[in-house]
Amino acid sequence: MDKEVKNGFEFCDRSLSQNILAGWQKIIDLTTKISGAYVGLLMGVCHNNIEVLVASKTEGNPYHAGDREHLYGSGLYCEQVIKTMKNLVVPNALKSDEWNQNPDLKNFNLLVYMGFPIRKPDGHPFGTICVLDNKENQFSDEIPILLESMRDLIESQLKIESLHVQNQAQAELLQEKVLQLNHVNQTLKESEEKYKLILENTTDYIWVYNLTQQRFTFVSPSVVNLYGLTVEEALAQKLEDSMDKESFAIVCNKIINGNEHTSCVIEIQQPKKDGELIWVEMTIRYVINPQGEEEIIGVSRNIDQRKKKEQEIYYISTHDYLTDIYNRSYFEQQLQNAVSLKEYSQEPLSLLIIDIDYFKKINDTLGHLAGDEILKFVSQTIATAIRSSDILARYGGEEFSILMPGIDLTNAMSAAERIRTTIENTHFPYDLKITVSIGVTEHDAGQTLDDMYRHADTALYNGKENGRNQVVVYRGLDA
């Protein structure tokens, strides 16, 4: 490939933050190390070109970030992955009429390739994640699962980044409106006519509540856009009637602790005329009017869409994209919290690791779409067999984890057996008979999280080795 190192982190009209690239570097280095490959790459497609975004730090790697090549007609392995948007595995290009002349082989003797396509949030190609080797590498069955998981993680980051960009644009728009409002306030001092004109046309809801008289003394016409109320209806309301009890308490606290001419910004939920609750950003200012009466001057703005996007970002960051249960990152955070809490509460804490038996056979015979359907079905089945306080997550591939606060080893074993029999007796799609193996352990004082995982995994491994479709409890050196 031609060498062209880019300045900064601009790629194809989009900004890639240093944090994102650093995270991707860790993903590529880890994937390359685990697979035992010579080269690991994260490639990006821009128009008709393909570019190295991240290259593994393996010694002698001939590729570097910024290397770029014309994609179509290049003969590169990645060209086929992008064109077909399907995974590609080339065990030995020297033995393949299709690949024995490709540039990666001719230029760098990279005769082994495994790559997965990466999609943008809109479904279009973003690039590939791949590993290459200059010697035959019989990748284990776990390597495709690893690559696929890393691909999924990158796609999730792209979705979150996209939502952040949208949110930033809204924040900039909001900042622009704030600057405009400051200018408006200055203009109001100069002209009563301009003041009235702006009040009648602004989309923000401006109001004045007289604390001495306990009533609204002014509301702008835009109240109808925000709450569906007429000016007359809004003027007739009491302050406590215009919001729920929790929000009213927040406003009262700000008023009590406020000083004259100080302002604050709060985010609360308020009901519309039809009863629907919406999120509102409220800027309030406590003043003493010329008559010596206490007043609140407020500006209210609808931020419901922003709040929903924040909730969407949080959901994406904590849930598995395929099964809609919690993801590994969230699970590990909750486990850490539970272990820390256990030091004070002394409540028991158990961990289950569940693995679907012979899942690879399902993927190999019925395809990955069928495998995905089974994963979703299994996760839903497990969810029906556990408590609402238990935390279920997809830990990776066909492996699930369950955190059970307040449950000792005996009860955890019973719960695991209930899960196992529920799955065994469930009718799954494609008339498949699905069974699982489950490893069970209880947290002991002084254990690290790694110890706890290792114990549950050891129990699971024993179950796999001894016939599958069983629950195995970790019992120390006797396991």
Side-chain angles (χ1 to χ4, degrees):
M1 292 185 179
D2 297 328
K3 300 294 179 65
E4 182 182 329
V5 179
K6 300 177 72 66
N7 295 321
F9 300 98
E10 293 295 320
F11 170 67
C12 203
D13 301 324
R14 68 185 296 156
S15 177
L16 297 176
S17 70
Q18 189 170 1
N19 286 339
I20 287 179
L21 289 174
W24 289 354
Q25 184 70 60
K26 291 179 180 178
I27 287 174
I28 292 300
D29 288 340
L30 178 62
T31 302
T32 307
K33 181 178 180 180
I34 293 175
S35 67
Y38 176 51
V39 171
L41 300 172
L42 197 159
M43 311 293 291
V45 176
C46 181
H47 306 305
N48 293 325
N49 294 322
I50 186 165
E51 180 173 338
V52 178
L53 299 181
V54 176
S56 63
K57 296 180 180 179
T58 45
E59 184 177 356
N61 185 351
Y63 299 114
H64 305 85
D67 290 356
R68 180 187 297 175
E69 179 65 78
H70 188 76
L71 175 61
Y72 298 105
S74 65
L76 295 169
Y77 298 116
C78 288
E79 178 184 1
Q80 180 166 324
V81 177
I82 294 299
K83 288 169 69 175
T84 63
M85 291 307 289
K86 294 182 180 179
N87 312 338
L88 174 65
V89 178
V90 180
N92 189 334
L94 293 173
K95 300 177 181 179
S96 169
D97 293 337
E98 182 181 3
W99 296 108
N100 60 17
Q101 295 298 317
N102 82 84
D104 291 316
L105 176 64
K106 293 171 64 177
N107 296 335
F108 306 113
N109 194 36
L110 295 175
L111 53 90
V112 176
Y113 175 89
M114 179 182 293
F116 281 70
I118 302 173
R119 289 177 172 84
K120 298 178 183 177
D122 62 5
H124 289 91
F126 174 83
T128 66
I129 180 172
C130 58
V131 290
L132 304 95
D133 213 337
N134 56 6
K135 61 183 181 304
E136 278 201 277
N137 186 331
Q138 298 298 325
F139 294 118
S140 67
D141 293 341
E142 287 76 19
I143 301 308
I145 296 173
L146 172 65
L147 271 176
E148 183 180 21
S149 299
M150 294 305 183
R151 185 272 309 276
D152 294 342
L153 177 59
I154 292 169
E155 289 183 344
S156 296
Q157 290 174 331
L158 291 173
K159 289 178 183 177
I160 292 172
E161 181 201 24
S162 177
L163 289 171
H164 275 306
V165 170
Q166 295 176 30
N167 219 25
Q168 182 63 32
Q170 289 187 343
E172 291 173 358
L173 180 61
L174 182 60
Q175 181 64 27
E176 181 181 353
K177 286 188 176 182
V178 170
L179 293 174
Q180 291 173 352
L181 184 59
N182 290 338
H183 178 69
V184 166
N185 288 335
Q186 185 63 36
T187 304
L188 289 177
K189 296 178 182 179
E190 301 171 358
S191 171
E192 183 66 22
E193 282 301 316
K194 289 182 180 180
Y195 172 73
K196 291 173 62 178
L197 181 65
I198 291 169
L199 284 179
E200 291 172 356
N201 291 278
T202 184
T203 56
D204 291 334
Y205 168 46
I206 302 173
W207 50 273
V208 178
Y209 190 81
N210 188 298
L211 292 168
T212 304
Q213 301 177 28
Q214 291 290 296
R215 68 184 183 90
F216 285 98
T217 57
F218 174 81
V219 295
S220 65
S222 54
V223 66
V224 67
N225 298 324
L226 189 57
Y227 303 115
L229 296 169
T230 65
V231 170
E232 292 75 17
E233 290 171 330
L235 284 170
Q237 278 190 322
K238 293 292 186 181
L239 184 63
E240 58 266 32
D241 297 330
S242 67
M243 58 192 74
D244 60 29
K245 290 183 179 180
E246 182 179 348
S247 298
F248 181 65
I250 294 173
V251 172
C252 288
N253 182 62
K254 295 294 184 182
I255 294 171
I256 292 171
N257 295 318
N259 299 314
E260 186 180 0
H261 301 304
T262 61
S263 61
C264 65
V265 180
I266 56 176
E267 295 180 355
I268 61 174
Q269 283 189 294
Q270 290 186 283
K272 297 175 66 175
K273 185 176 181 178
D274 60 7
E276 178 191 359
L277 283 177
I278 58 171
W279 279 99
V280 174
E281 180 187 80
M282 184 181 291
T283 303
I284 57 176
R285 187 175 187 184
Y286 174 80
V287 299
I288 304 295
N289 69 17
Q291 291 74 40
E293 298 173 325
E294 298 174 303
E295 288 185 333
I296 306 171
I297 299 174
V299 179
S300 299
R301 175 178 295 116
N302 190 332
I303 59 169
D304 210 47
Q305 289 301 314
R306 192 192 82 194
K307 280 290 186 179
K308 288 177 180 177
K309 285 193 176 294
E310 290 174 354
Q311 292 166 358
E312 183 180 356
I313 291 172
Y314 177 76
Y315 187 88
I316 290 173
S317 68
T318 58
H319 285 72
D320 177 59
Y321 78 101
L322 177 64
T323 59
D324 277 337
I325 61 176
Y326 290 119
N327 60 22
R328 177 173 180 166
S329 176
Y330 178 84
F331 184 85
E332 290 179 342
Q333 179 185 350
Q334 293 304 306
L335 180 57
Q336 177 68 65
N337 294 341
V339 170
S340 298
L341 182 63
K342 183 178 181 295
E343 295 178 3
Y344 301 97
S345 68
Q346 300 302 313
E347 288 290 321
L349 178 68
S350 293
L351 172 67
L352 276 60
I353 297 182
I354 303 170
D355 190 89
I356 302 174
D357 296 330
Y358 303 108
F359 183 74
K360 182 179 182 299
K361 184 177 179 181
I362 297 174
N363 275 338
D364 291 344
T365 56
L366 298 178
H368 286 280
L369 290 179
D372 288 349
E373 188 174 353
I374 295 300
L375 285 171
K376 290 187 281 189
F377 211 101
V378 168
S379 66
Q380 293 165 5
T381 304
I382 295 173
T384 64
I386 61 177
R387 306 173 304 166
S388 60
S389 57
D390 297 331
I391 299 175
L392 168 64
R394 183 184 176 199
Y395 206 69
E398 69 272 25
E399 190 171 281
F400 301 87
S401 297
I402 303 177
L403 179 62
M404 292 187 159
I407 295 293
D408 60 20
L409 189 62
T410 300
N411 287 314
M413 182 173 63
S414 298
E417 181 61 24
R418 183 172 62 253
I419 293 168
R420 186 196 67 77
T421 56
T422 299
I423 292 175
E424 185 179 28
N425 296 324
T426 296
H427 180 72
F428 284 91
Y430 308 101
D431 290 326
L432 290 174
K433 177 74 171 179
I434 301 296
T435 62
V436 295
S437 301
I438 306 178
V440 184
T441 189
E442 181 183 358
H443 184 269
D444 290 328
Q447 271 190 348
T448 66
L449 295 183
D450 288 341
D451 291 336
M452 198 174 183
Y453 274 121
R454 188 173 66 256
H455 294 169
D457 197 52
T458 298
L460 174 65
Y461 177 79
N462 289 340
K464 288 283 192 182
E465 286 293 299
N466 291 287
R468 295 180 167 83
N469 189 23
Q470 58 185 284
V471 174
V472 178
V473 177
Y474 180 81
R475 300 189 185 278
L477 295 176
D478 298 328

